[in-house]
């Protein structure tokens, strides 16, 4: 309880502080370092690596049914990421930002040969590829990699693609995230993606946990986590750079921090629903 | 007048027909051929190649100021195309359609090295490119090519990028198109892009006209038109395929036809505004 009270106090302190600042119109522009600190503080406090379900997962306490439940439900999140990122692109009038952001959609959806040709040849006449130039074949994206994780856990493509295990709370949280990206100013929507700042550490711990505790999962199913180690670092660097540049008023800076808090709530809320549905399947082992 | 009356009759006939069909709930699913005919009929009647300004342009009747006015205003349309296409992506839950559609954004925005790596390597570890594989350099897109067309006409990047010549009527029409893509069901938004079916013929005529009548324009500025000859054919084939597949109820088919009609109205309305602003600059020569 003490812990909870302290959390509530911190939380309200920050909100009251903002509220006072806004009333007195004296909110100051944070320097770069302070802004980054404020963003990192959200992750320290609210990122879902601290959720009991995640802790149990990384400590090897989940039975196969619970892990499958997580994989199946998280697929709805994975499947909506490119839609969320396209919504951001569709609200962004800055071409340089769109050029920097679009690879996220390709990373998750995978690239068809048409997209590869456009990226590589971009507007040149459609000459046939010489041998040794870009492979004009479809390239696997994160969604496909997650489907393979599902297979490795014993979940069919149909179960994932048709959301057969999707919990209402997970759907609501993910839909809220997509809706946020559609309706918020694009720099704020980009700030909300900054949970990626905290992802590589969690991904490293998760990979180690899966390899140690869940050896019933075919290790080839873990490719998604491996690729995200690199991608999340690159992506969060990009997103942080854009946030620092375009959230350039005291109001936008504070809005960006709240956006990241919102995104932590999305991830946390997904785990709440999953924990409720599958938590009783945890093993008694520590 | 007779011509106008006939046009009005045709128009109302079609609307009344739809209206009656809906009331009687007997609208039938068109077969593929009929659906395509209905779409092509819209182009035959309402595509902007028949607008007096376009006719004057292709007959060599525009003075430099009028042509520059068209180039400057059309830039607003060009600059909004990737936003419109991202809005479609952001509403589309079908990964295969997103994979087919995303190259349009790359075609117009140009591709950064990040997008090229994502398209080609898609999730593989970020190994350096071997010589002879995809060039990891930024590739020019259609917006950049249109900026060069502007230069070739004597318009600075600043004049185009900051919309210094943008007419309200052009802004309203383009914004209506983007808003349509954001708010309509994605197969209907895709159908609205089918003006591309009629673009290659216009582009061929335009290229010939520019080379013959407007030799004061540096021919290197005409690359945009050249690339669109190929791109528009490929794009309209794709969009037609998606429209035929996903506009698969009598209601969606008729909505698709109306979407294409709406898009023709957008293009026509842009030329109305441009014609009003620059029409008096036409030469007297035929």
């Amino acid at each position: 309880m003490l812990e909870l009270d302290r959390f509530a106090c911190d939380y309200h302190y920050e909100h009251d502080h903002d509220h006072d600042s806004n009333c007195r119109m004296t909110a100051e522009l944070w320097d770069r370092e302070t802004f980054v600190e404020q963003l990192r503080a959200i992750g320290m406090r609210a990122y879902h690596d601290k959720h009991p379900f995640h802790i149990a997962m990384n400590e090897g306490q989940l039975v196969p049914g619970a892990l499958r439940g997580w994989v199946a439900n998280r697929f709805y999140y994975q499947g909506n990421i490119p839609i969320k990122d396209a919504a951001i692109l569709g609200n962004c009038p800055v071409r340089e930002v769109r050029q920097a952001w679009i690879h996220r959609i390709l990373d998750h959806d995978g690239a068809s040969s048409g997209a590869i040709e456009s990226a590589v040849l971009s507007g040149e006449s459609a000459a046939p590829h010489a041998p040794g130039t870009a492979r004009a074949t479809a390239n696997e994206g994160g969604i496909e990699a997650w489907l393979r994780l599902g297979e490795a856990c014993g979940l069919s493509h149909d179960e994932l693609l048709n959301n057969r295990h999707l919990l209402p709370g997970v759907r609501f949280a993910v839909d809220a995230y997509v809706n946020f990206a559609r309706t918020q100013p694009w720099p704020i929507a980009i700030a909300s993606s900054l949970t990626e700042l905290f992802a590589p550490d969690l991904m490293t711990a998760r990979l180690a946990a899966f390899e140690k505790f869940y050896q019933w999962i075919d290790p080839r199913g873990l490719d998604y986590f491996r690729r995200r180690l690199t991608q999340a670092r690159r992506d969060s660097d990009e997103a942080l750079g854009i946030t620092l540049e375009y959230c350039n008023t005291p109001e936008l800076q504070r809005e960006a921090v709240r956006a990241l808090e919102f995104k932590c709530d999305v991830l946390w809320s997904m785990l709440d629903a999953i924990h409720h549905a599958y938590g009783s399947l945890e093993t008694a082992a520590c």
Side-chain angles (χ1 to χ4, degrees), chain A residues 123-135:
Chain A
E124 294 174 19
S125 62
H129 289 283
T133 62
R135 287 165 299 145

Side-chain angles (χ1 to χ4, degrees), chain A residues 93-257:
Chain A
V94 183
R95 182 161 51 117
E96 292 72 21
V97 172
R98 292 197 304 266
Q99 285 177 327
W101 205 254
I102 195 168
H103 73 79
R104 290 165 179 257
I105 303 175
L106 295 163
D107 287 343
H108 279 82
D109 274 343
S112 69
S113 55
I116 294 172
E117 277 176 26
S118 289
V120 177
L121 298 174
S122 199
E124 294 174 19
S125 62
H129 289 283
T133 62
R135 287 165 299 145
T137 54
N139 280 268
E140 185 189 81
I143 292 174
E144 203 65 37
W146 199 275
L147 285 169
R148 282 198 290 117
L149 170 63
E151 271 178 39
C153 296
L155 290 159
S156 70
H157 284 208
D158 170 71
E159 282 173 282
L160 298 192
L161 290 168
N162 294 309
N163 301 320
R164 299 208 185 277
H165 304 285
L166 180 58
L167 299 164
V170 171
R171 183 192 290 274
F172 299 154
V174 171
D175 290 354
Y177 187 33
V178 173
N179 195 43
F180 188 88
R182 284 186 178 142
T183 55
Q184 293 293 306
W186 63 268
I188 300 304
I190 282 180
S192 75
S193 75
L194 284 171
T195 43
E196 286 162 348
L197 284 170
F198 321 112
D201 289 347
L202 175 56
M203 217 59 85
T204 306
R206 187 185 288 164
L207 251 177
F210 272 62
E211 283 167 351
K212 181 173 175 188
F213 299 118
Y214 307 113
Q215 294 180 1
W216 56 273
I217 300 176
D218 184 337
R220 285 171 299 180
L222 307 182
D223 287 351
Y224 180 86
F225 304 139
R226 287 194 193 97
R227 77 166 68 184
R228 287 304 297 168
L229 278 175
T230 318
Q231 287 180 350
R233 257 186 217 106
R234 178 201 57 188
D235 290 359
S236 61
D237 284 351
E238 274 174 13
L240 185 60
I242 295 171
T243 301
L244 296 178
E245 183 174 351
Y246 290 94
C247 294
N248 53 6
T249 67
E251 293 71 25
L252 281 170
Q253 287 182 331
R254 281 144 186 89
E255 206 61 53
V257 171

Side-chain angles (χ1 to χ4, degrees), chain A residues 8-22 42 45 257-258 261:
Chain A
C9 279
D10 285 354
Y11 188 85
H12 286 128
Y13 167 73
E14 184 161 274
H15 273 249
D16 289 342
H17 175 70
D18 271 356
H19 184 253
D20 288 344
S21 303
N22 287 336
I42 298 292
R45 199 183 71 214
V257 171
R258 281 193 288 270
E261 201 165 28

Side-chain angles (χ1 to χ4, degrees), chain A residues 44-64:
Chain A
M44 294 295 288
R45 199 183 71 214
Y47 189 54
H48 64 165
D49 59 342
K50 288 165 282 293
H51 192 286
F53 190 87
H54 244 153
I55 292 171
M57 179 190 290
N58 284 359
E59 288 181 350
Q61 294 178 33
L62 297 190
V63 295

